[in-house]
Amino acid sequence: MQTLERRALIKGAALGVLAFTVGSAEVFLTPREAHAQGVPLRTLNADEAKTLEALGETLAPGAREAGVVEFVDQQISGPAEEALLEARILNVRPPYANFYRAALGAVDRMSQTQGKRFVELSASDQHDFVDRMRQNKLEGWQGPPPPFVYTLLRADAVDVVYGTMAGYEALGIPYMAHIAPTKRW
Amino acid sequence: MATNEKVDVVIVGAGASGSTFAAVLAKAGKKVVLLEQGPDWQLSDLISSDLWGRRIKPAGAPFQSEGKNPYGYAYQSGWGVGGAALHYFANFPRLLPSDFKIKSEHNRALDWPISYLDLAPYFDKVARDVGVSGDAKAEEIWRPAGEPYPMPPMKTFRNGEIWLKGFEANGIRMVPAAVGMNSTEFKGRPACLYDGWCHVGCPIGALANPLVTYLGDARKAGAEVRALSTVTRVMVNDKGDRATGVEYYDAQKQRQVQEASVVVLAAWAAQNPRLMLNSSTDKHPKGLANSSGLLGKYMMAHYASGTWALFDEDVENHMGTIGAQYMSYERYAKESHKGAFGSTYIVAGTALKTNDLGGFANARADLFGPALAEFMKSAKRGLTRITAFGEEMPNIENRIELVSDKDDFGMPRAKIVHSFDDDAIRVWNANFEEGLKVAKAAGAKEMWSGRGPMPTIHLFGGTIMGTSAGDSVVNSFGQAHEIPNLYVAGPGTFPTEGASNPTYTIFAVSLRGAEQLAANWSTVAG
């Protein structure tokens, strides 16, 4: 890679953190830290963020605190070739923000046919909604295929809850890194 | 537009096949330039993380996928030096003699223009070059004898050993897997640590990726790598019988020309035909070297039947490699499964991670919420998997074509049209059924088939080899029939795919082609 670009990438990876913008400064945080500090979002609007957070928590409990919203927002705000999202390996065409906007919009439009946004549904109704999304049983859905949305958003939630060093530690699995993403990320 | 000083060889793509050509030709004293569209990764870029590992795969493939079984491009391909072999699992089964003559023996599919015995010396040579661990003698119950591998088999772990009883009960002999990994130190590269991070890139050099093997050799011999350089067209002379170089866009997205005496396309099975289709001239109106009409045709993929099982003991599934500990050709004969046609290659024993496509969470992709959390806890102790890879027969309808939509460089994107035929589906199903029998006989507490949309794994065809310009695009060395100083390297030249993981054969076929080119340099280069 080009020297400067490579140095920046290695710096981020070696620290195990991502670059977030706070005020006018760029700071390196894990998504969990970014969530705890209430780092401003760059791409998702407030409604999209709430929907994503509720979906993430429904898919993989713990995803909210693990920073699923901050992770996705940071990832879709930069160049596609630097993205760490599963969307990348499942052939979603960049810019990835387009997919997330379409998916989250489709979820809320579908949910509102029942009178409420997804985030306003009870936990039980959120679970049922996601289960129907998984099985492609949401009639009138307008957006990317529901099972694909389920797969990708579930992957994001799994990534932040289980795919980090902290996630491995919580499950009691030795991480055994050669080149460690330190700070448990 | 800038024109660079003419070189002996320009190679498009710095993955497994391009690196092999580069090493041979640079060592033969040729001036070699490799143009690689992705970054110039270093070993220190290879972070042990399934998230960070996604960086070494492409973001936004210039291909659309169509057909009943759309091709899953990004997970299979590479982006940057090393190509897909920077993140491959380094399973090194080879094709078997029957793979080279399916047409002759079964009146199905196609024959290769060479036999297994033509390639056998190159399998042995690649093993000596890059390092292979395994037990050749044990494998020879299924294939002709050859040289021993340079290293003994890798260590095994409970996640692999626990399956052996089940295989034996079903009449399936398992032998130590041949892998492109170091069970012992090899040529100054360390032995494997068995931490299971192979698939995101091995930064210690224990796994035979191109950076520490042929690409490293090529660089030492003076080959130049130009990263972030995207080739859009192969140039030919007015008569249409000689390649003169390539056009590409550099890291600053400036258009450049690199003239060369020989052009080697090693940009993978999908991109090579896309480039050749985009290089049409009045002498080659259907794309370069395409009088057969077969350019972009006969695309093939593997599929896998994964059987998951939970055992009531700690199977140490965090230990091992992502490659296999045990392998078997017991179901490799084309008619192994009654009523189906195609080879099966079986592996057992793999380290597992928590996330990404092959991780715990995807073992039960239907689970979410508290049920997923519970599953993850049980998976860490007793979850393990076996996999049977299946062969697809070449079908002319499975193809690559240019489309009107263009990429960032103004080059037409392409579509990959792919559907598995009924034979492939029958082999896939038969392997699922047998996998469950094996799991039951192995004493698993719970077992299930890893079903979902039929997966597309690896990629072959599109520039197949044959005997003449009437039946194929290239000869057995990868040399285009109609343009003798244009070579195509990689799995795109395979007329059939077998069921074995491809990279060992890619190295062997590429080494054979590169040595032929070096030996006949003055004739070919003119």
Side-chain angles (χ1 to χ4, degrees), chain A residues 1 6 9-10 13 58-59 61 71 80-81 84-86 88-89 91 93-94 96 127 130-131 134 150 154 159 162-163 168 171 173-176 178-179 185, chain B residues 39-40 42 45 48-49 52 54-55 57 59-60 73-74 79 193 195 197 203 318 353-357 361-362 364-369 372-373 380 405 413:
Chain A
M1 302 181 71
R6 215 173 84 74
L9 187 66
I10 292 297
T58 304
L59 287 159
F71 172 64
E81 58 268 25
L84 308 182
L85 295 166
E86 186 150 308
R88 177 176 187 144
I89 56 171
N91 301 301
R93 188 168 170 177
Y96 300 127
H127 187 279
V130 168
D131 206 29
R134 176 180 73 82
Y150 165 85
R154 179 179 179 274
D159 279 348
Y162 297 109
Y168 275 65
L171 274 181
I173 303 170
Y175 194 88
M176 303 192 302
H178 287 307
I179 296 180
W185 149 245
Chain B
D40 190 10
Q42 310 295 310
D45 291 319
S48 302
S49 156
W52 289 92
R54 292 171 189 152
R55 290 172 309 139
K57 295 175 179 170
Y73 183 90
W79 185 63
L193 301 173
D195 63 12
W197 288 113
H318 61 288
K353 299 298 177 186
T354 59
N355 59 330
D356 209 68
L357 299 190
N362 257 15
R364 285 293 306 270
D366 58 320
L367 297 180
F368 63 94
L372 173 62
K380 76 161 184 182
D405 188 22
R413 292 173 184 272

Coordinates of all heavy atoms in Angstrom, one line a residue, chain A residues 1 6 9-10 13 58-59 61 71 80-81 84-86 88-89 91 93-94 96 127 130-131 134 150 154 159 162-163 168 171 173-176 178-179 185, chain B residues 39-40 42 45 48-49 52 54-55 57 59-60 73-74 79 193 195 197 203 318 353-357 361-362 364-369 372-373 380 405 413:
Chain A
M1 N 0.8 -1.2 0.0 CA 0.0 0.0 0.0 C 0.9 1.2 0.0 O 2.0 1.2 0.3 CB -0.9 0.1 1.2 CG -1.8 -1.1 1.4 SD -2.8 -1.0 2.9 CE -4.0 0.3 2.3
R6 N -0.8 3.1 4.5 CA -0.6 1.9 5.2 C -0.3 2.2 6.7 O -0.7 1.5 7.6 CB 0.7 1.2 4.6 CG 0.6 -0.3 4.6 CD 1.7 -0.8 3.8 NE 2.9 -0.9 4.6 CZ 3.1 -1.8 5.5 NH1 2.1 -2.7 5.8 NH2 4.2 -1.9 6.2
L9 N -3.5 2.8 8.5 CA -4.2 1.5 8.7 C -3.6 0.7 9.8 O -4.3 0.2 10.7 CB -4.2 0.8 7.3 CG -5.1 -0.5 7.3 CD1 -6.5 -0.1 7.4 CD2 -4.8 -1.2 6.0
I10 N -2.3 0.5 9.8 CA -1.7 -0.3 10.8 C -1.9 0.3 12.2 O -2.1 -0.4 13.1 CB -0.1 -0.4 10.5 CG1 0.1 -1.2 9.2 CG2 0.6 -1.0 11.6 CD1 -0.4 -2.6 9.3
A13 N -5.3 -0.6 13.2 CA -5.5 -2.1 13.5 C -4.7 -2.5 14.7 O -5.2 -3.3 15.5 CB -5.0 -2.9 12.3
T58 N -32.1 -7.2 19.2 CA -33.0 -8.4 19.0 C -32.2 -9.5 18.4 O -32.4 -10.7 18.8 CB -34.1 -8.0 18.1 OG1 -34.8 -6.8 18.6 CG2 -35.1 -9.1 17.9
L59 N -31.3 -9.3 17.5 CA -30.6 -10.3 16.8 C -29.5 -10.9 17.7 O -29.4 -12.2 17.8 CB -29.9 -9.7 15.5 CG -30.9 -9.4 14.4 CD1 -30.3 -8.4 13.4 CD2 -31.3 -10.7 13.7
P61 N -28.2 -10.3 21.6 CA -28.3 -9.5 22.9 C -26.9 -9.1 23.2 O -25.9 -9.8 23.2 CB -28.9 -10.6 23.9 CG -29.6 -11.5 23.0 CD -28.9 -11.6 21.7
F71 N -20.4 1.1 15.2 CA -19.6 0.3 14.3 C -20.1 0.5 12.8 O -19.3 0.9 11.9 CB -19.7 -1.1 14.7 CG -19.0 -2.1 13.7 CD1 -17.7 -2.1 13.4 CD2 -19.8 -3.1 13.1 CE1 -17.1 -2.9 12.5 CE2 -19.2 -4.0 12.2 CZ -17.9 -3.9 11.9
A80 N -15.2 2.4 0.8 CA -15.6 1.0 0.8 C -14.4 0.0 1.0 O -14.5 -1.0 1.6 CB -16.4 0.6 -0.5
E81 N -13.3 0.4 0.3 CA -12.1 -0.5 0.4 C -11.5 -0.7 1.8 O -10.7 -1.5 2.0 CB -11.1 -0.2 -0.7 CG -10.5 1.2 -0.5 CD -11.2 2.3 -1.4 OE1 -12.4 2.0 -1.6 OE2 -10.7 3.3 -1.7
L84 N -14.9 -3.0 7.1 CA -14.7 -4.3 7.7 C -16.0 -5.1 7.8 O -16.2 -6.0 8.5 CB -14.1 -4.2 9.1 CG -12.9 -3.3 9.3 CD1 -12.4 -3.3 10.7 CD2 -11.8 -3.8 8.4
L85 N -17.0 -4.6 7.1 CA -18.4 -5.2 7.2 C -18.5 -6.5 6.5 O -17.9 -6.7 5.4 CB -19.4 -4.2 6.6 CG -19.6 -2.8 7.3 CD1 -20.3 -1.8 6.4 CD2 -20.3 -3.0 8.6
E86 N -19.4 -7.3 7.0 CA -19.7 -8.6 6.2 C -20.4 -8.3 4.9 O -20.3 -9.0 3.9 CB -20.6 -9.5 7.0 CG -20.8 -10.9 6.3 CD -21.0 -12.0 7.3 OE1 -20.2 -12.2 8.2 OE2 -21.9 -12.8 7.1
R88 N -19.3 -6.5 2.7 CA -18.2 -6.5 1.7 C -18.1 -7.9 1.1 O -17.9 -8.1 -0.1 CB -16.9 -6.1 2.5 CG -15.7 -6.2 1.6 CD -14.5 -5.6 2.4 NE -13.4 -5.5 1.6 CZ -12.5 -4.6 1.7 NH1 -12.6 -3.6 2.6 NH2 -11.4 -4.5 0.9
I89 N -18.1 -9.0 2.0 CA -17.9 -10.3 1.4 C -19.1 -11.0 0.9 O -19.1 -12.1 0.4 CB -17.1 -11.2 2.4 CG1 -17.9 -11.3 3.7 CG2 -15.7 -10.7 2.6 CD1 -17.3 -12.3 4.7
N91 N -21.0 -9.3 -1.2 CA -21.2 -8.7 -2.6 C -22.2 -7.6 -2.6 O -22.8 -7.3 -3.6 CB -21.6 -9.8 -3.6 CG -20.6 -10.9 -3.7 OD1 -19.5 -10.6 -4.1 ND2 -21.0 -12.1 -3.4
R93 N -23.1 -3.9 -3.2 CA -22.3 -2.9 -4.0 C -22.2 -1.6 -3.3 O -23.2 -1.1 -2.8 CB -23.1 -2.7 -5.3 CG -22.4 -1.9 -6.3 CD -23.0 -1.9 -7.7 NE -22.5 -1.0 -8.6 CZ -22.8 -0.8 -9.8 NH1 -23.7 -1.6 -10.4 NH2 -22.3 0.1 -10.6
P94 N -21.0 -1.1 -3.1 CA -20.8 0.2 -2.5 C -21.5 1.3 -3.2 O -21.7 1.1 -4.4 CB -19.3 0.4 -2.5 CG -18.7 -1.0 -2.8 CD -19.7 -1.7 -3.6
Y96 N -21.9 1.3 0.8 CA -22.7 0.5 1.7 C -23.8 1.2 2.4 O -24.8 0.6 2.9 CB -21.8 -0.2 2.7 CG -20.7 -1.1 2.0 CD1 -19.4 -0.9 2.3 CD2 -21.1 -2.0 1.1 CE1 -18.4 -1.7 1.7 CE2 -20.2 -2.8 0.4 CZ -18.8 -2.6 0.7 OH -17.9 -3.4 0.1
H127 N -39.1 -9.6 18.2 CA -38.6 -10.9 18.0 C -39.5 -11.6 16.9 O -38.9 -12.2 15.9 CB -38.7 -11.8 19.2 CG -38.0 -13.1 19.1 ND1 -38.7 -14.2 18.5 CD2 -36.8 -13.6 19.4 CE1 -37.9 -15.2 18.5 NE2 -36.7 -14.9 19.1
V130 N -38.7 -10.0 13.4 CA -37.4 -10.5 12.9 C -37.5 -11.9 12.4 O -36.9 -12.3 11.4 CB -36.3 -10.3 14.0 CG1 -35.0 -11.1 13.5 CG2 -36.0 -8.9 14.2
D131 N -38.3 -12.7 13.1 CA -38.4 -14.1 12.7 C -39.1 -14.2 11.4 O -38.8 -15.1 10.5 CB -39.2 -14.9 13.8 CG -38.9 -16.4 13.7 OD1 -37.7 -16.7 13.3 OD2 -39.7 -17.2 14.1
R134 N -36.7 -13.2 8.7 CA -35.8 -14.3 8.4 C -36.4 -15.3 7.4 O -35.7 -15.8 6.5 CB -35.4 -15.0 9.7 CG -34.6 -16.3 9.6 CD -34.3 -16.9 10.9 NE -35.5 -17.6 11.5 CZ -35.9 -18.8 11.1 NH1 -35.2 -19.5 10.2 NH2 -37.0 -19.4 11.7
Y150 N -31.8 -9.8 7.2 CA -31.6 -10.5 8.4 C -30.2 -11.0 8.5 O -29.5 -10.8 9.5 CB -32.6 -11.7 8.4 CG -32.3 -12.8 9.5 CD1 -32.8 -12.6 10.8 CD2 -31.6 -13.9 9.1 CE1 -32.5 -13.6 11.7 CE2 -31.3 -14.9 10.1 CZ -31.8 -14.7 11.4 OH -31.5 -15.7 12.3
R154 N -27.7 -9.4 11.2 CA -27.3 -10.3 12.3 C -25.8 -10.5 12.3 O -25.2 -10.6 13.4 CB -28.0 -11.7 11.9 CG -27.6 -12.8 12.9 CD -28.4 -14.1 12.5 NE -28.1 -15.2 13.3 CZ -27.1 -16.1 13.1 NH1 -26.2 -15.8 12.2 NH2 -27.0 -17.1 13.9
D159 N -20.8 -9.7 14.9 CA -19.4 -9.2 14.8 C -19.0 -8.4 16.1 O -18.0 -8.6 16.7 CB -19.2 -8.3 13.6 CG -19.0 -9.0 12.3 OD1 -18.7 -10.2 12.4 OD2 -19.1 -8.4 11.3
Y162 N -19.6 -10.9 19.4 CA -18.8 -12.2 19.5 C -17.4 -12.1 18.8 O -16.6 -12.9 19.0 CB -19.6 -13.3 19.0 CG -20.8 -13.6 19.8 CD1 -22.1 -13.3 19.3 CD2 -20.7 -14.1 21.1 CE1 -23.2 -13.6 20.0 CE2 -21.9 -14.4 21.8 CZ -23.1 -14.1 21.3 OH -24.3 -14.4 22.0
G163 N -17.3 -11.2 17.8 CA -16.1 -11.3 16.9 C -14.9 -10.5 17.4 O -13.9 -10.4 16.7
Y168 N -14.6 -12.9 22.5 CA -14.0 -14.2 22.8 C -13.8 -14.4 24.3 O -14.1 -15.5 24.8 CB -12.7 -14.3 22.1 CG -12.8 -14.7 20.6 CD1 -13.4 -13.9 19.7 CD2 -12.2 -16.0 20.2 CE1 -13.5 -14.3 18.3 CE2 -12.3 -16.4 18.8 CZ -13.0 -15.5 17.9 OH -13.1 -15.9 16.6
L171 N -16.9 -15.4 26.1 CA -17.3 -16.8 25.9 C -16.3 -17.8 26.5 O -16.6 -19.0 26.5 CB -17.5 -17.1 24.4 CG -18.8 -16.7 23.7 CD1 -18.7 -17.1 22.2 CD2 -20.0 -17.5 24.3
I173 N -13.2 -18.3 25.2 CA -12.4 -18.9 24.2 C -11.0 -18.2 24.0 O -11.0 -16.9 23.9 CB -13.1 -18.8 22.8 CG1 -14.5 -19.4 22.9 CG2 -12.3 -19.4 21.7 CD1 -15.4 -19.1 21.7
P174 N -9.9 -18.9 24.0 CA -8.6 -18.2 23.8 C -8.6 -17.6 22.4 O -8.9 -18.2 21.4 CB -7.6 -19.4 23.9 CG -8.4 -20.5 24.6 CD -9.8 -20.3 24.3
Y175 N -8.2 -16.3 22.4 CA -8.2 -15.6 21.1 C -7.0 -16.0 20.2 O -7.0 -16.1 19.0 CB -8.2 -14.1 21.3 CG -8.6 -13.3 20.1 CD1 -9.9 -13.0 19.8 CD2 -7.6 -12.8 19.3 CE1 -10.2 -12.3 18.6 CE2 -7.9 -12.0 18.1 CZ -9.2 -11.8 17.8 OH -9.5 -11.1 16.7
M176 N -5.8 -16.0 20.9 CA -4.6 -16.5 20.2 C -4.2 -15.7 19.0 O -4.0 -16.3 17.9 CB -4.7 -18.0 19.9 CG -5.0 -18.9 21.1 SD -4.8 -20.6 20.8 CE -5.9 -20.9 19.4
H178 N -2.0 -13.7 16.3 CA -0.6 -13.4 15.8 C -0.3 -12.0 15.9 O 0.6 -11.5 16.5 CB -0.4 -13.8 14.4 CG -0.4 -15.3 14.1 ND1 0.4 -16.1 14.8 CD2 -1.1 -16.0 13.2 CE1 0.2 -17.4 14.3 NE2 -0.7 -17.3 13.4
I179 N -1.2 -11.2 15.2 CA -1.1 -9.7 15.3 C -2.4 -9.3 15.9 O -3.5 -9.4 15.3 CB -0.9 -9.1 13.9 CG1 0.5 -9.5 13.3 CG2 -1.0 -7.6 14.0 CD1 0.7 -9.0 12.0
W185 N -10.6 -5.5 21.0 CA -11.5 -5.2 19.9 C -11.3 -6.3 18.8 O -10.2 -6.5 18.4 CB -11.3 -3.8 19.4 CG -11.6 -3.6 18.0 CD1 -10.7 -3.2 17.1 CD2 -12.8 -3.7 17.3 NE1 -11.2 -3.1 15.8 CE2 -12.6 -3.4 15.9 CE3 -14.1 -4.0 17.6 CZ2 -13.6 -3.4 15.0 CZ3 -15.1 -4.0 16.7 CH2 -14.8 -3.7 15.4
Chain B
P39 N -3.9 -3.5 -3.1 CA -2.7 -3.0 -2.3 C -1.6 -4.0 -2.3 O -1.7 -5.2 -2.5 CB -3.3 -2.8 -0.9 CG -4.7 -2.8 -1.0 CD -5.1 -3.7 -2.2
D40 N -0.4 -3.4 -2.0 CA 0.8 -4.2 -1.8 C 0.9 -4.7 -0.3 O 1.7 -4.1 0.4 CB 2.0 -3.4 -2.2 CG 3.3 -4.3 -2.3 OD1 3.2 -5.5 -2.2 OD2 4.4 -3.7 -2.4
Q42 N 1.7 -6.3 3.2 CA 2.8 -6.9 3.8 C 2.3 -7.9 4.9 O 1.2 -7.8 5.3 CB 3.6 -5.8 4.5 CG 4.0 -4.6 3.7 CD 4.9 -5.0 2.5 OE1 5.9 -5.6 2.7 NE2 4.5 -4.6 1.3
D45 N 0.3 -6.6 7.7 CA -1.0 -6.1 7.6 C -2.1 -7.2 8.0 O -3.3 -6.9 8.0 CB -1.3 -5.8 6.1 CG -0.5 -4.5 5.6 OD1 -0.5 -3.6 6.4 OD2 0.0 -4.5 4.5
S48 N -5.1 -10.6 13.0 CA -5.8 -11.9 13.4 C -7.2 -11.5 13.9 O -7.5 -11.3 15.1 CB -5.0 -12.6 14.5 OG -3.7 -12.9 14.1
S49 N -8.1 -11.3 12.9 CA -9.5 -10.9 13.2 C -10.3 -11.2 12.0 O -9.9 -10.9 10.9 CB -9.5 -9.4 13.6 OG -10.8 -8.9 13.4
W52 N -11.1 -7.7 10.5 CA -10.0 -7.0 9.8 C -9.6 -7.9 8.6 O -9.1 -7.3 7.6 CB -8.8 -6.8 10.7 CG -9.1 -5.7 11.7 CD1 -9.6 -5.9 13.0 CD2 -8.9 -4.3 11.5 NE1 -9.8 -4.7 13.6 CE2 -9.3 -3.7 12.7 CE3 -8.4 -3.5 10.5 CZ2 -9.3 -2.3 12.9 CZ3 -8.4 -2.2 10.7 CH2 -8.8 -1.6 11.8
R54 N -11.4 -9.1 6.4 CA -12.2 -8.7 5.2 C -11.6 -7.7 4.3 O -12.0 -7.6 3.1 CB -13.6 -8.2 5.7 CG -14.4 -9.3 6.3 CD -15.7 -8.8 7.0 NE -16.3 -9.9 7.8 CZ -17.1 -9.7 8.8 NH1 -17.3 -8.5 9.3 NH2 -17.6 -10.7 9.5
R55 N -10.6 -7.0 4.8 CA -9.9 -6.0 4.0 C -9.1 -6.6 2.8 O -8.8 -5.9 1.9 CB -8.9 -5.2 4.8 CG -9.5 -4.3 5.9 CD -8.4 -3.8 6.7 NE -7.6 -4.8 7.2 CZ -6.2 -4.8 7.3 NH1 -5.6 -3.8 7.0 NH2 -5.6 -5.9 7.8
K57 N -10.1 -8.8 0.8 CA -11.1 -9.2 -0.2 C -11.6 -8.0 -0.9 O -11.6 -6.9 -0.3 CB -12.2 -10.1 0.4 CG -11.6 -11.4 1.0 CD -12.6 -12.2 1.7 CE -12.0 -13.5 2.2 NZ -12.8 -14.2 3.2
A59 N -13.8 -5.0 -2.4 CA -15.0 -4.2 -2.0 C -15.7 -3.7 -3.2 O -15.2 -2.8 -3.9 CB -14.6 -3.1 -1.1
G60 N -16.8 -4.4 -3.6 CA -17.5 -3.9 -4.8 C -16.9 -4.6 -6.0 O -16.2 -3.9 -6.8
Y73 N -19.0 -13.9 -5.3 CA -17.7 -13.4 -5.8 C -16.7 -13.1 -4.7 O -15.6 -13.6 -4.7 CB -17.9 -12.2 -6.7 CG -16.7 -11.7 -7.4 CD1 -16.3 -12.2 -8.6 CD2 -15.9 -10.8 -6.8 CE1 -15.1 -11.7 -9.2 CE2 -14.7 -10.3 -7.3 CZ -14.3 -10.8 -8.6 OH -13.2 -10.3 -9.2
A74 N -17.1 -12.2 -3.9 CA -16.1 -11.5 -3.0 C -15.4 -12.4 -2.1 O -14.2 -12.3 -1.8 CB -16.7 -10.3 -2.3
W79 N -7.8 -9.5 -3.4 CA -7.7 -8.1 -3.7 C -6.3 -7.6 -3.1 O -6.2 -7.5 -1.9 CB -8.8 -7.2 -3.1 CG -8.8 -5.8 -3.5 CD1 -8.8 -5.2 -4.7 CD2 -8.6 -4.7 -2.6 NE1 -8.8 -3.9 -4.7 CE2 -8.6 -3.5 -3.4 CE3 -8.5 -4.5 -1.2 CZ2 -8.5 -2.2 -2.8 CZ3 -8.3 -3.3 -0.7 CH2 -8.3 -2.1 -1.5
L193 N 1.5 -22.5 14.4 CA 1.2 -22.4 15.8 C -0.2 -22.9 16.1 O -0.7 -22.9 17.2 CB 1.2 -20.9 16.3 CG 2.6 -20.2 16.1 CD1 2.4 -18.7 16.4 CD2 3.6 -20.9 17.0
D195 N -3.3 -21.7 15.6 CA -4.3 -20.8 16.2 C -5.5 -20.5 15.3 O -6.3 -19.7 15.7 CB -3.5 -19.5 16.6 CG -3.0 -18.8 15.4 OD1 -3.3 -19.1 14.3 OD2 -2.2 -17.9 15.6
W197 N -6.0 -18.9 12.5 CA -6.2 -17.6 11.8 C -5.8 -17.6 10.3 O -5.6 -16.6 9.7 CB -5.5 -16.5 12.5 CG -6.2 -16.1 13.8 CD1 -5.6 -16.3 15.1 CD2 -7.5 -15.5 14.1 NE1 -6.5 -15.8 16.0 CE2 -7.6 -15.3 15.4 CE3 -8.5 -15.1 13.2 CZ2 -8.8 -14.8 16.0 CZ3 -9.6 -14.6 13.8 CH2 -9.8 -14.4 15.1
P203 N 0.5 -14.2 9.1 CA 1.6 -13.2 9.1 C 2.9 -13.8 9.5 O 3.9 -13.1 9.4 CB 1.1 -12.2 10.2 CG 0.3 -12.9 11.1 CD -0.4 -14.1 10.3
H318 N -11.1 -24.3 19.1 CA -10.3 -23.1 18.9 C -8.9 -23.5 18.4 O -8.1 -22.6 17.9 CB -10.1 -22.3 20.1 CG -9.4 -23.0 21.3 ND1 -10.0 -24.0 22.0 CD2 -8.2 -22.8 21.8 CE1 -9.2 -24.4 22.9 NE2 -8.1 -23.7 22.8
K353 N -13.9 -20.2 14.5 CA -14.0 -18.9 15.1 C -15.5 -18.6 15.4 O -16.4 -19.4 15.1 CB -13.4 -17.9 14.1 CG -12.0 -18.1 13.8 CD -11.1 -18.1 15.1 CE -9.6 -18.4 14.8 NZ -8.8 -18.5 16.0
T354 N -15.7 -17.5 16.0 CA -17.1 -17.2 16.5 C -18.0 -16.6 15.4 O -19.2 -16.9 15.3 CB -17.1 -16.2 17.6 OG1 -16.4 -15.0 17.2 CG2 -16.3 -16.8 18.8
N355 N -17.4 -15.8 14.5 CA -18.2 -15.0 13.6 C -17.8 -15.3 12.2 O -17.0 -16.2 11.9 CB -18.1 -13.5 13.9 CG -16.7 -12.9 13.9 OD1 -15.7 -13.6 14.1 ND2 -16.6 -11.7 13.5
D356 N -18.2 -14.4 11.2 CA -17.9 -14.6 9.8 C -18.6 -15.8 9.3 O -19.3 -16.6 10.0 CB -16.4 -14.6 9.5 CG -16.2 -14.0 8.1 OD1 -16.4 -12.8 7.9 OD2 -15.8 -14.8 7.2
L357 N -18.5 -16.1 8.0 CA -19.3 -17.1 7.3 C -19.1 -18.5 7.8 O -20.0 -19.3 7.9 CB -19.0 -17.1 5.8 CG -19.3 -15.8 5.0 CD1 -19.2 -16.0 3.5 CD2 -20.7 -15.2 5.4
A361 N -21.6 -18.8 14.8 CA -22.9 -18.2 14.7 C -23.6 -18.6 13.4 O -24.8 -18.7 13.3 CB -22.8 -16.7 14.7
N362 N -22.8 -18.9 12.3 CA -23.4 -19.3 11.1 C -23.7 -20.8 11.0 O -24.3 -21.3 10.1 CB -22.5 -18.9 9.9 CG -23.1 -17.7 9.2 OD1 -24.0 -17.0 9.7 ND2 -22.6 -17.4 8.0
R364 N -25.7 -22.1 13.0 CA -27.1 -22.1 13.1 C -27.6 -20.7 12.7 O -28.0 -19.9 13.6 CB -27.5 -22.4 14.6 CG -27.4 -23.9 14.9 CD -28.4 -24.8 14.2 NE -29.8 -24.4 14.4 CZ -30.6 -24.8 15.4 NH1 -30.2 -25.7 16.3 NH2 -31.8 -24.4 15.4
A365 N -27.6 -20.5 11.4 CA -28.0 -19.1 10.9 C -29.4 -18.8 11.2 O -29.8 -17.6 11.1 CB -27.7 -19.1 9.4
D366 N -30.2 -19.8 11.6 CA -31.6 -19.5 11.9 C -31.8 -18.9 13.3 O -32.9 -18.4 13.6 CB -32.4 -20.8 11.8 CG -31.9 -21.9 12.7 OD1 -30.7 -22.1 12.8 OD2 -32.8 -22.6 13.3
L367 N -30.8 -19.1 14.2 CA -31.0 -18.6 15.6 C -30.6 -17.2 15.7 O -29.7 -16.7 15.2 CB -30.1 -19.5 16.5 CG -30.4 -21.0 16.6 CD1 -29.4 -21.6 17.5 CD2 -31.8 -21.3 17.0
F368 N -31.4 -16.5 16.6 CA -31.1 -15.1 17.0 C -31.6 -14.9 18.4 O -32.4 -15.7 18.9 CB -31.6 -14.1 15.9 CG -33.1 -14.1 15.8 CD1 -33.9 -13.2 16.6 CD2 -33.8 -15.0 15.0 CE1 -35.3 -13.2 16.5 CE2 -35.2 -15.0 14.9 CZ -35.9 -14.1 15.7
G369 N -31.2 -13.8 18.9 CA -31.7 -13.4 20.3 C -31.1 -14.4 21.3 O -30.0 -14.9 21.2
L372 N -29.7 -17.7 20.2 CA -28.3 -17.6 19.7 C -27.3 -17.6 20.8 O -26.2 -18.2 20.7 CB -28.2 -16.4 18.7 CG -26.8 -16.1 18.2 CD1 -26.2 -17.2 17.3 CD2 -26.8 -14.8 17.4
A373 N -27.6 -16.7 21.8 CA -26.6 -16.6 22.9 C -26.4 -18.0 23.6 O -25.3 -18.3 23.9 CB -27.2 -15.6 23.9
K380 N -18.9 -23.4 21.9 CA -17.5 -23.3 22.2 C -16.9 -24.6 22.8 O -15.7 -24.7 22.7 CB -17.3 -22.1 23.2 CG -17.7 -22.5 24.6 CD -17.1 -21.5 25.6 CE -17.5 -22.0 27.0 NZ -16.9 -21.2 28.1
D405 N -23.3 -1.4 -18.1 CA -22.8 -0.7 -16.9 C -21.3 -0.6 -16.8 O -20.6 -1.6 -17.2 CB -23.4 -1.4 -15.7 CG -23.2 -0.5 -14.4 OD1 -23.0 0.7 -14.5 OD2 -23.2 -1.1 -13.3
R413 N -18.6 -3.5 -16.9 CA -18.7 -4.5 -15.9 C -19.1 -5.8 -16.6 O -19.4 -5.8 -17.8 CB -19.8 -4.2 -14.8 CG -19.4 -3.0 -13.9 CD -20.5 -2.6 -13.0 NE -20.2 -1.5 -12.3 CZ -19.5 -1.5 -11.1 NH1 -19.3 -2.6 -10.5 NH2 -19.2 -0.4 -10.5

